[in-house]
Amino acid sequence: MKIIQLLVILVLFTACTVKPQPINYGSDVCHYCNMTIVDKQHASQMVTAKGKAFKYDAIECMVHSLQDEFKDTEMAHQLVADFYQPGELINATEASYLVSEQLQSPMGANLSAFKNTENGQKALEEFSGKIYTWKEIQEYLKL
């Protein structure tokens, strides 16, 4: 009997796990602008505390969606693609951001993310532009 109870508890925990969803590049559509997500260097995703995932084709779309539609929604995950590891999503709040005219993003903000400050500085030296933190990039992109 205890084994059945443990199995039921295990099934309930795994069914309620709040986690990011894989992005199907070339077929998933951006929640904010409705464009097909194809760019693995600029995609992003948010997952609410209740487990609903929203995918974006550009970091700027996620930031605008957060400021507009989800400003009062608790988020479990805010993820952005690491420019140097296309397709790998990293914690948006810990990433370093570069706005550079030499790095075009899908929606024209020329915004890219890097997993840490060191990689952001490396990109700044390579492409020029300006570095931002998560809090600063939200202010920069304020609607």
Side-chain angles (χ1 to χ4, degrees):
M1 187 66 171
K2 285 188 174 187
I3 291 174
I4 292 173
Q5 289 174 333
L6 288 173
L7 286 173
V8 169
I9 291 171
L10 180 65
V11 168
L12 288 175
F13 272 115
T14 56
C16 297
T17 302
V18 176
K19 61 183 180 182
Q21 301 297 312
I23 295 175
N24 299 309
Y25 295 95
S27 61
D28 282 348
V29 174
C30 177
H31 176 74
Y32 190 74
C33 72
N34 294 322
M35 293 186 66
T36 303
I37 303 171
V38 294
D39 187 339
K40 292 182 177 182
Q41 289 181 307
H42 295 98
S44 56
Q45 182 176 158
M46 289 192 300
V47 182
T48 67
K50 292 182 177 179
K52 184 152 176 71
F54 298 91
K55 303 171 187 176
Y56 302 91
D57 69 332
I59 299 165
E60 53 265 39
C61 284
M62 184 178 87
V63 171
H64 288 148
S65 183
L66 184 61
Q67 293 172 346
D68 185 26
E69 182 180 4
F70 297 112
K71 59 185 169 193
D72 296 323
T73 303
E74 182 182 352
M75 292 294 165
H77 301 280
Q78 295 170 325
L79 305 164
V80 293
D82 180 5
F83 183 83
Y84 285 137
Q85 300 292 324
E88 181 180 330
L89 297 177
I90 57 176
N91 185 336
T93 63
E94 297 173 355
S96 181
Y97 298 89
L98 175 67
V99 175
S100 172
E101 291 184 12
Q102 296 180 34
L103 293 176
Q104 296 180 348
S105 57
M107 297 309 293
N110 301 325
L111 173 61
S112 302
F114 303 87
K115 71 178 178 183
N116 54 39
T117 305
E118 182 178 291
N119 283 2
Q121 286 296 326
K122 178 181 162 188
L124 177 63
E125 292 169 13
E126 186 177 350
F127 300 106
S128 76
K130 186 172 179 185
I131 293 285
Y132 296 87
T133 64
W134 173 241
K135 185 176 179 180
E136 292 168 338
I137 202 64
Q138 291 181 74
E139 194 62 35
Y140 175 78
L141 294 171
K142 199 156 193 140
L143 294 172

